[in-house]
Amino acid sequence: MSLASERASTATAVSPHPFDPIQPAEITLAVRILEAALPGIPLRYKRIDVNEPVKKDVIPYIEAERLRMPLPPKPTRVLYVMFHRLDTGAFLKALLNADTKSPIFIKELPREVQGPLDTDEVTEIEELCNRHPAVLAEIEKLKLPPGVTVCNDPWMYGTDTPDESRRLFQCFMYIVEVDHPQNNHYSLPCKFSPVFDATTMEFVRMDYLPGGADHQTAETSMWKPVKTIQYAHDLLDEPLRTDLKPYIVQQPEGASFSVDGNFVYWQKWRFRVGFNNREGLVLYNVTYDNRNIVYRLAVSEMTVPYADPRAPYHRKQAFDVGDCGFGVAANQLSLGCDCLGHIKYFDGCRTDAKGNPVTLKNVVCMHEQDNGLQHKHSNYRSDAATVVRNRQLVLQMICTVANYEYIFAYIFDQAANIELEVRATGILSTVPFDNENGATVPWGTNVGPGVMAPYHQHMFSLRIDPAIDGFNNTVYYEDSVPMPEDENNPYLVGYTTEQTVIKKSGTANTDVARHRVFKIRNDNVVNPITYKPVSYKLVTVPSQMLLVNPKAFGFKRAEFATKPIWVTQYRDEELYAAGEFTNQSRKADGVETWVQRNDSTENEDVVLWHTFGLTHNPRIEDFPVMPMEKISVMLRPDGFFTKNPALDVPASAQSFNKSTLHPEPVITSSCCSNISAGSKAKLYKRLD
Amino acid sequence: MSLASERASTATAVSPHPFDPIQPAEITLAVRILEAALPGIPLRYKRIDVNEPVKKDVIPYIEAERLRMPLPPKPTRVLYVMFHRLDTGAFLKALLNADTKSPIFIKELPREVQGPLDTDEVTEIEELCNRHPAVLAEIEKLKLPPGVTVCNDPWMYGTDTPDESRRLFQCFMYIVEVDHPQNNHYSLPCKFSPVFDATTMEFVRMDYLPGGADHQTAETSMWKPVKTIQYAHDLLDEPLRTDLKPYIVQQPEGASFSVDGNFVYWQKWRFRVGFNNREGLVLYNVTYDNRNIVYRLAVSEMTVPYADPRAPYHRKQAFDVGDCGFGVAANQLSLGCDCLGHIKYFDGCRTDAKGNPVTLKNVVCMHEQDNGLQHKHSNYRSDAATVVRNRQLVLQMICTVANYEYIFAYIFDQAANIELEVRATGILSTVPFDNENGATVPWGTNVGPGVMAPYHQHMFSLRIDPAIDGFNNTVYYEDSVPMPEDENNPYLVGYTTEQTVIKKSGTANTDVARHRVFKIRNDNVVNPITYKPVSYKLVTVPSQMLLVNPKAFGFKRAEFATKPIWVTQYRDEELYAAGEFTNQSRKADGVETWVQRNDSTENEDVVLWHTFGLTHNPRIEDFPVMPMEKISVMLRPDGFFTKNPALDVPASAQSFNKSTLHPEPVITSSCCSNISAGSKAKLYKRLD
């Protein structure tokens, strides 16, 4: 079938909503458009996705939806393609008009621009490394016992020189002591690390890793056997706990949400579930009780610089959004493992290297959860109480980036709050370290014999494109400060707030000592009771910013992580805090550049970027798999409504909740003889 | 029955564990001992409770329990009584030996010392105020319509003069527009506020409250009718939501915990549930896998200073622990309202003014909850995943302090973390404010017509008496700092940690910019892999400290709230951060005094006090009842174990969790005609 005839035949199909994720047929379409435009040239596809629609074209459409007016035409559907020409090795970007099925542009990118890793490429490098003679020669020197093998994790090659234009991978090598699909090779890191060129598929260099606490390296020598610290249940020495009883969430009438494609309606909230290869889960057009709250919400970037000062670890700085992509790293979830209750899953889609669509099944899950009490008051005179529970709607995505896992959950509640909860789990990135003699390093933690986990930071950028009762908003911060000692404050107890409006694009700091609160308001809509513009506050996570020296590449590449708050005037295509191309970048091309425009940001279409993070100095308890560490950011109405918006949530009642009472043991005051035989036996067993 | 014969007859009854809460019979016993010691003197009881047992006497007992050795004799059971002599009006404190049934001491306290409020007293003052002619005269001037009445909340009288020794109450008055047990009178505050002497029951003075934004007051005049903003469901104008589906937690095999009296065993945790009138819920002797973690854990104090600079609001500074008591304010919980699943309740006990024991039924609830994922890792090569959910054990207490509610939850998990989660909810303390004309104040928020909620702070002190693998511990803090630019840091990416040991009793600050982490270690026990002393970290809540001016009484009375971290050497009787008697105190007699001893706190029996809080500048959404605001502190192992202690928790599996899949709508690509009639109707209804 020719492209022309396909155009005709698909014309009657339902066209996607502007915020819908890419469909398999659109990947096929993009490949056909490119192959028609570049006939006969062998291409290798890295990424095919929807290009973000132009906001000014989308707004009339979604406002018509919200106001139930006749819909205007949909904005142009544009597809974004990153690919290589296999004849020249060039790296290209194309934008394609999916409606007219024709290219908008196809351009070759400069030699120093590297696209993100892709799944096929990582597999190719991994296999290349495993069979390369230089690597096999090192493995030979380990003189491994029978059954013990070596594997590798290819890493992006963090920039350490201004003139590198090869596409490089650093492979970290590990000993595989047990042949098991969940063997924890991170427990046994090797002391050599080859570098490969991913374009030419050539071996570049063998790096040797320090063995001790200094920068010294040595020739590879015989491996001294040491047992892997395993996490998989069937590889543990100790038995599993047997005293955990089932805990089942039942929703006999189903969930309280409704879903129509990627459109969700739950408890006065309406929004669209977006998904792309780079950011993964994105929320669009979030309204509450039919009032606009957020235009677009996503984790726009993330960087993980490591503190180990020694080569080649100074190059360990992953950009998990820009270099990898949370979308392509998202776990395909399964029922009953990652959430409880009544679950709805959403799929995503990516291309493979050949341009075939690959469905990413169940990459987002949605379910309700109970989060304890939302509000309660008892009248102490009458003892009459109003108790309302905090039912929440959770949209969750779990990303595996090699050793590590991030769990992102957007949580909506009935009091008009939106929370982003991030859980860090998975396996620490480890390095070899001869610690049998009691050695320690000041930049890491021994987590097992011969293995150390270096300190590192996880720095996230949450991009908030707000729409507080409209698309022109103002960001400001409010500090709580003592009132001066004067006649208005005769008893010296008074305190008040000071407001600072961010009038021009720029940055701001958090300030715990002043209880600094950031708010987004709509100057055009005044609350009839507070007499102040309607607003939402951003409950920030005040965090330590980037520790890397400003002169280092790691700083220049991730300037977004040097300030907690950035405000820019909205521009299409400005989506990613560290810029479009982060892999092997020399400097960022993101918020740090855009704020310099000195745009007006008062009562304008603004974007608020919040950088927050974890300085993660590993605990030994974080190994071999890490109990989650949780951080949470929230958007919370503050003068947006005229009273608690959850007042109309029905009360918590036993008839609805059906809780059960723990049986009381039957015990006389003198002895235990009256305990029923069963419960006594059980009690004794459990207390022993 | 004489006291002597009672001694004989009760000798065979089971004697309480040293950490058990007071029993009704012990209240009766205390009264009998005091009446025998003070024959013929009429007494009024304020508080009868267990006096904290002497730690050096308790340790051998609980260590023998832990090590399953023969038990030594129990420490002496001592009862604590606060009471008044009605003949002289004197306020007294007694300690009584419950084993020998005899007084240890009975002493009259200085005239300026005021005990906490008690339930009977508050009721008496409330009734006195309601019927007092001076109050009735003011009510008369309001010319209230038929059916509209007035009520009052008696408040403790925050100190504003150094020479007040009367026991005073400030009654805040409200208009009751609707006769309903949950009418929200806080919506309609009156502009007059009488002060009473609670000893003489005399009217002291009528205070008039400012009507506008300045300090001006006026004579009481006719009430201009305005509608109450109600929170109770049957008083709302709007209908309740009808689209919230049931969410039922089922535990068909019961809970995973075992309970024996107040002893609890759950998932390697063992502890005792303590409860007293002052702090309410207390945790004692917390061990994990039979290793000591904490000796005693409780919220030791809390203060709420208000920011409104005008009289008489400058006296609004509640000490909810010392002035009121979380134990006596604890809600008597009911099945299916305050928690879900399989619930165990614990009771408490208090005295009434006459010395009768009053059982406080169900003041603590305990249940398990699911908190999402604890850890997960997928091997990206094999896609094999280990998924472990985060089952938690929650001990919850909900306290109503007049208008406001606090929900305290101690949360244990399977990775050896203990979290204290505090939720603030209930009703804002409001003041009258003529805001119909668009007026606002810089120290509060309009929350309705004629009503304003002043800014305030909630400052909590969590007292941690640690026992990290033993009772001698050291507190230190660790900052993350860039490595210097030298030959050890050639690429400028290195960072490291700096430790500061708190060697002498004193204070420390939190420091987000340095990622300051506080840890408690045992210098006598070294982790065999990290080579560092075993430790737990305290995940603090960096908070704005007290805003009141250091010259004000509100500062001197609550110095604990001026620094986030205090470390003292353990002394018996040093339990409360602001001292034993806070009501109408002129200055504190707590941590700020004890740290001045300059005691050694390195490898000693130490106590760590963490002050954290909320600067609460009310949102209008916090009215008429506040969606909870949550803060959380955590004790988290850090080098205490040799690996993740939750590795042996069974995997999350559908066979155990029994989740259900959201049904997919049957939709053809061209139209919706194939949606089943029912689901289509439902979809349309919900999306409309």
Side-chain angles (χ1 to χ4, degrees), chain A residues 250-256 342, chain B residues 244-246 682:
Chain A
Q250 285 218 330
Q251 300 187 261
E253 297 179 23
S256 314
H342 184 98
Chain B
L244 190 69
K245 302 292 176 65
K682 189 168 130 194

Side-chain angles (χ1 to χ4, degrees), chain B residues 10-79:
Chain B
T10 59
T12 54
V14 176
S15 82
H17 187 277
F19 294 142
D20 273 350
I22 194 157
Q23 305 300 310
E26 293 180 311
I27 288 180
T28 307
L29 172 65
V31 168
R32 293 177 68 93
I33 297 172
L34 273 185
E35 287 177 353
L38 302 167
I41 297 174
L43 305 179
R44 188 193 181 288
Y45 295 94
K46 184 166 276 299
R47 190 163 282 177
I48 303 179
D49 216 330
V50 174
N51 198 57
E52 191 68 18
V54 172
K55 189 173 182 181
K56 76 168 170 43
D57 297 342
V58 177
I59 286 178
Y61 190 85
I62 60 174
E63 281 292 272
E65 287 183 319
R66 184 174 71 88
L67 302 168
R68 287 147 207 269
M69 309 279 282
L71 295 180
K74 279 179 185 159
T76 307
R77 181 82 162 175
V78 176
L79 304 178

